[in-house]
Amino acid sequence: MSEAPLNPRTRSYEFYGVPGVLAISVGLPVLTIVLNQLIRADYYIVGPFSNFHWEQVWNHLKPFSHYLYNSELWTYYMAWLFVLAFLDVTLPGRKMRGVVLRDGSQLQYKINGIAMVSALVLILCVRWNVTRGDMPELQYIYEHHTDICIITVLFSVVLATLTYICSFLPQLRRNKRGTKERILALGGNTGNPIYDWFIGRELNPRLGALDVKLFCELRPGMLLWLLINLSCLHQHYINTGQLNDALLLVNILQGFYILDGVLNEEGLLTMMDITTDGFGFMLAFGDLALVPFTYSLQARYLSVSPIELGRNRIAAICAVMLIGYWIFHSSNTQKSNFRQGKLPHLKSIQTTRGTKLLCDSWWAMSQHINYFGDWLISLSWCLCTGFQTPLTYYYSLYFAALLLHRQTRDEEKCRQKYGDSWKEYESQVPYKIIPYLY
């Protein structure tokens, strides 16, 4: 019996194929830039876009060549990436192995989120003390917000292109099948350069000890999001000498979410982004540009249009956040423990592949109950801005669409993977995300 090919050709397309990925590759970066242009110190959207003007969207934007050849912006951003990459490789951490790959190998990852966060906090504290609270780095981020956003978009294009080109080069070491063939993503090996560049051709691109995909998932974008939020809080404090409760709350809630993600990075090793998706423009842009520059819209808006929440609204918002986090964290922990064989008493369905589908406790309520908790968390952040404009609810709406897309992708793959076992699972757990609604 002949051995199955290591990298079978991809036969199906997502996002409606090449036209769809081209539209996303242009449309999402443009949307990201436009959203940030709608929230500036000199102009911001009020109410249901009643003061929207196209000329304001293009105001302060410079010619493309300015961003392409701006040595200052590129130097600062590349220094940010280099320092984070250096810390990621050199800071101590525990070693963990990822899932078994198609050649039978398991990649080794260094889990050092605690050391990374500690280093960042220490640096910020030292800079606060040295600059006596001026924090010129945070002021630079705030004043050059859209410029840095454009640089991250351009760098995402460069990074996706480099990883696509490198996916055709042989590995330095032989894989477990005795060849130097790289392991490609099952969904990114169509042979069409545009589609594969977007989806990601190589599954786990690495630069020496640095795993490019895991690094981008948790370091440059997530931590830049944290700094952008802090820059908004810092700017308001410099201007007024006071701490606004809404701005402080969104910093605390999102800061907790960011640090929780970084500190629990081992959970990513079994998630679809790491185990299934290739690293192309979709992930590069999402991680490096979309996350920090659209997830920070609430803090950005409150820095130019602050409101006072008061104790009652703060308590209500925190309740939404805590309920969402409880659902998200408890359900993910339960599934992780079940996969490790720690919860054998929970009801499950034995599949023909030898694995089990959990359908008890949290996972009897819906197929993706963790998604519901994650969405509630996103809603709590948007509620911090009150109801001044629908613009600040962009993230919650976008996240809902993203989760629906993920659920659809996962459902299709599970249907093909588990066959009749998946039909039985759907009969026992009929709801997709929200119990009794969807």
Side-chain angles (χ1 to χ4, degrees):
M1 188 180 203
S2 61
E3 192 174 35
L6 182 62
N7 294 310
R9 182 70 77 178
T10 303
R11 301 299 178 187
S12 60
Y13 289 76
E14 296 184 66
F15 304 106
Y16 302 101
V18 175
V21 301
L22 277 174
I24 295 171
S25 298
V26 176
L28 265 185
V30 170
L31 176 63
T32 301
I33 295 167
V34 168
L35 286 174
N36 284 279
Q37 280 292 94
L38 297 179
I39 305 175
R40 307 194 310 265
D42 63 322
Y43 168 75
Y44 58 90
I45 289 297
V46 176
F49 293 79
S50 57
N51 63 331
F52 177 84
H53 298 291
W54 276 111
E55 59 269 22
Q56 289 291 352
V57 172
W58 310 118
N59 196 15
H60 302 304
L61 289 180
K62 303 169 185 66
F64 179 71
S65 58
H66 169 82
Y67 301 101
L68 201 59
Y69 303 111
N70 191 304
S71 59
E72 179 181 277
L73 287 170
W74 279 105
T75 298
Y76 287 154
Y77 188 68
M78 295 307 296
W80 166 250
L81 291 175
F82 177 80
V83 169
L84 289 180
F86 176 77
L87 292 175
D88 191 71
V89 172
T90 58
L91 287 176
R94 57 193 175 96
K95 302 294 179 65
M96 289 189 66
R97 293 194 175 275
V99 298
V100 178
L101 302 176
R102 291 195 299 278
D103 68 342
S105 65
Q106 287 180 280
L107 294 176
Q108 185 170 268
Y109 296 88
K110 181 192 280 188
I111 305 302
N112 59 0
I114 295 176
M116 178 68 75
V117 169
S118 300
L120 180 62
V121 171
L122 179 62
I123 291 170
L124 288 172
C125 290
V126 169
R127 290 300 298 161
W128 175 272
N129 185 59
V130 170
T131 65
R132 297 185 178 182
D134 283 344
M135 300 293 286
E137 298 87 355
L138 293 183
Q139 291 190 50
Y140 187 89
I141 291 173
Y142 189 85
E143 293 168 2
H144 295 83
H145 185 80
T146 304
D147 294 338
I148 300 172
C149 173
I150 293 172
I151 292 297
T152 63
V153 172
L154 294 176
F155 180 77
S156 301
V157 174
V158 172
L159 182 59
T161 303
L162 288 176
T163 53
Y164 175 76
I165 293 171
C166 289
S167 70
F168 291 95
L169 304 178
Q171 294 182 145
L172 296 177
R173 296 182 180 180
R174 295 182 183 276
N175 58 38
K176 284 219 167 181
R177 291 198 179 183
T179 72
K180 292 189 176 182
E181 189 178 5
R182 296 173 185 266
I183 298 179
L184 307 181
L186 292 177
N189 189 27
T190 65
N192 184 290
I194 296 175
Y195 184 85
D196 293 347
W197 169 84
F198 175 84
I199 291 292
R201 190 167 185 269
E202 187 173 358
L203 184 61
N204 298 110
R206 291 196 158 198
L207 184 61
L210 185 72
D211 187 274
V212 175
K213 185 159 60 171
L214 185 63
F215 172 74
C216 289
E217 283 272 350
L218 288 174
R219 300 294 189 249
M222 290 284 280
L223 296 178
L224 182 56
W225 173 18
L226 179 68
L227 293 186
I228 290 172
N229 281 359
L230 288 174
S231 75
C232 295
L233 182 64
H234 182 258
Q235 187 68 28
H236 183 270
Y237 180 75
I238 286 178
N239 291 339
T240 66
Q242 298 178 338
L243 289 175
N244 173 259
D245 64 355
L247 192 47
L248 181 61
L249 181 62
V250 80
N251 265 266
I252 292 172
L253 296 184
Q254 293 188 347
F256 172 79
Y257 183 86
I258 294 166
L259 297 180
D260 181 67
V262 174
L263 294 176
N264 294 286
E265 58 190 316
E266 65 270 16
L268 268 179
L269 301 186
T270 57
M271 291 183 66
M272 184 183 293
D273 287 4
I274 300 297
T275 64
T276 305
D277 294 338
F279 187 80
F281 182 73
M282 178 175 70
L283 281 183
F285 168 76
D287 293 340
L288 301 179
L290 192 71
V291 166
F293 290 97
T294 62
Y295 291 17
S296 60
L297 289 178
Q298 292 80 30
R300 187 79 177 168
Y301 193 86
L302 287 169
S303 72
V304 296
S305 181
I307 60 171
E308 290 291 333
L309 291 174
R311 291 182 180 180
N312 291 339
R313 283 194 286 179
I314 288 176
I317 291 169
C318 288
V320 174
M321 170 76 178
L322 289 173
I323 292 171
Y325 181 77
W326 173 53
I327 295 172
F328 176 75
H329 190 268
S330 297
S331 59
N332 280 334
T333 300
Q334 187 177 77
K335 175 170 279 191
S336 177
N337 289 336
F338 177 79
R339 286 174 173 172
Q340 296 174 45
K342 297 178 181 179
L343 300 171
H345 63 283
L346 292 183
K347 182 181 177 183
S348 63
I349 296 172
Q350 183 71 47
T351 70
T352 55
R353 297 174 62 92
T355 55
K356 295 180 179 181
L357 296 172
L358 178 60
C359 55
D360 199 355
S361 191
W362 280 115
W363 300 95
M365 300 179 71
S366 76
Q367 297 169 18
H368 295 280
I369 188 67
N370 55 334
Y371 287 4
F372 178 52
D374 215 0
W375 183 80
L376 286 177
I377 293 172
S378 75
L379 179 63
S380 71
W381 304 340
C382 299
L383 289 171
C384 291
T385 64
F387 299 98
Q388 299 185 80
T389 173
L391 178 60
T392 55
Y393 284 78
Y394 155 83
Y395 173 67
S396 193
L397 295 173
Y398 158 78
F399 198 50
L402 177 66
L403 293 176
L404 285 170
H405 177 255
R406 282 186 180 178
Q407 174 263 315
T408 304
R409 287 177 68 200
D410 188 55
E411 184 177 48
E412 181 61 31
K413 289 178 181 178
C414 288
R415 188 174 286 118
Q416 295 176 5
K417 186 176 180 179
Y418 298 116
D420 290 339
S421 299
W422 185 254
K423 292 180 181 178
E424 182 184 352
Y425 174 75
E426 287 184 307
S427 68
Q428 294 196 32
V429 188
Y431 297 103
K432 311 294 185 182
I433 297 177
I434 306 176
Y436 307 109
L437 287 180
Y438 173 73

